[in-house]
Amino acid sequence: MLPPFPEALAAVNTAAAPALRLLEWDREGPRPEYRLVTKSDVDTVKAGLADASIEFFGGPQAAQIRVCPAPRCVRYFVKSHPRQEWCSVACGNRARAARHYAQHRDE
Ligand SMILES: [Zn+2]
């Protein structure tokens, strides 16, 4: 069960808090990159996930998040083009088959 939004937000901010972002450039890459520095590998993973989720949900893609309406699907997806209705081709096929079955069930 998911926690209420304020608790989830506090958990993300707590996970991101111990991370220190260092800007590094090793001169091999095309541009400087940020590296997360924490006390342990577990903290690094948690901080990386929290950092990425803050950037994602605070960015422009957040407005395109949708719940997949296909039967038996529990996924969310980022709507990447105007006519996209489902998270995957398989969900689109399942939803169309269910709609067809519902329309012809009593015939
Ligand atoms: Zn789906």
Side-chain angles (χ1 to χ4, degrees):
M1 184 166 156
L2 295 174
F5 181 75
E7 286 180 39
L9 188 60
V12 168
N13 284 331
T14 300
L20 177 65
R21 294 176 112 197
L22 290 181
L23 188 60
E24 289 185 333
W25 193 8
D26 64 8
R27 294 180 179 248
E28 299 290 325
R31 66 183 71 88
E33 293 187 355
Y34 283 99
R35 180 169 62 95
L36 293 176
V37 179
T38 62
K39 291 179 182 171
S40 71
D41 290 345
V42 173
D43 283 347
T44 300
V45 171
K46 287 165 60 178
L49 288 170
D51 206 48
S53 66
I54 289 169
E55 283 186 14
F56 177 78
F57 288 108
Q61 285 192 314
Q64 299 303 315
I65 296 172
R66 301 288 187 272
V67 174
C68 182
R72 299 180 310 280
C73 185
V74 296
R75 292 183 181 151
Y76 293 86
F77 67 98
V78 176
K79 187 172 182 166
S80 57
H81 59 84
R83 295 182 60 205
Q84 184 178 5
E85 294 181 49
W86 302 284
C87 72
S88 66
V89 172
C91 277
N93 290 338
R94 199 167 57 250
R96 280 188 288 273
R99 187 170 54 214
H100 179 82
Y101 176 76
Q103 288 170 345
H104 296 81
R105 183 175 35 206
D106 299 327
E107 291 178 0

